[in-house]
Amino acid sequence: MDHLSFKTVSVNKANADKAWVVVDASVAPLGRLASQIANMLRGKHKPSFTPNSDCGDNVIVINADNLRVTGKKLTDKIYVTHSGYPGGQKRVNLRDKKAKNSASVIEHAVKGMLQGNRLGREQFRNLYVYAGSEHPHQAQQPQAVELKNL
């Protein structure tokens, strides 16, 4: 019976098979794009997924300027921050945030879909977002990825 059983492999930082992938932000709306990127950062698309270790890929997102949203989100979606002081609440809509820094919109969406602990912060460091179609990671030989289930 031993030859029919399989060993469960628990992936850790030392033996994780981390790849580099490129995702085009202009192919899908913001939420669908962010959920796919979060799954790749966590490693949930791999058969060797281990929930307590960083086994996901390094994700490069290009064309953040061409980001799409549906409906009236450009004017109605509000990002709220607070400095901690009285009267320190700031509100900015998606159109203004995208005009100032389009990469921060994708980063904010993906960060909200990752875990809120040390592991989530470590996985978020594997995300690189660029406004244009050029990126400085050619030496890592990233593979272009087609997003599915959109």
Side-chain angles (χ1 to χ4, degrees):
M1 242 0 198
D2 282 338
H3 67 280
L4 294 178
S5 63
F6 294 99
K7 295 244 184 221
T8 302
V9 177
S10 183
V11 177
N12 58 21
K13 194 171 187 175
N15 61 6
D17 184 27
K18 296 176 74 72
W20 285 79
V21 296
V22 175
V23 176
D24 189 5
S26 62
V27 298
L30 174 62
R32 293 171 188 265
L33 177 78
S35 64
Q36 295 282 327
I37 292 171
N39 280 340
M40 285 190 276
L41 287 172
R42 287 202 66 200
K44 293 188 87 170
H45 64 291
K46 296 181 177 183
S48 62
F49 170 66
T50 306
N52 62 344
S53 68
D54 183 12
C55 58
D57 293 337
N58 296 299
V59 180
I60 304 164
V61 182
I62 57 173
N63 294 325
D65 282 340
N66 300 335
L67 183 67
R68 292 186 348 206
V69 291
T70 58
K72 297 192 292 182
K73 291 186 189 80
L74 279 176
T75 57
D76 292 354
K77 183 169 178 60
I78 304 292
Y79 293 94
V80 179
T81 59
H82 199 285
S83 66
Y85 290 99
Q89 189 178 50
K90 296 178 189 165
R91 296 167 169 259
V92 62
N93 64 8
L94 179 59
R95 176 179 287 137
D96 296 338
K97 187 167 183 163
K98 184 179 171 189
K100 186 174 183 180
N101 185 4
S102 58
S104 68
V105 175
I106 296 174
E107 290 171 353
H108 188 273
V110 171
K111 190 169 190 173
M113 294 182 184
L114 292 175
Q115 296 171 329
N117 54 17
R118 279 180 281 185
L119 179 60
R121 290 189 295 274
E122 186 178 343
Q123 291 167 343
F124 182 70
R125 284 187 220 115
N126 296 328
L127 176 66
Y128 305 91
V129 184
Y130 298 101
S133 61
E134 298 298 321
H135 61 85
H137 302 284
Q138 294 298 332
Q140 283 76 24
Q141 299 171 347
Q143 302 295 320
V145 172
E146 292 293 323
L147 299 178
K148 49 190 171 292
N149 300 329
L150 301 175

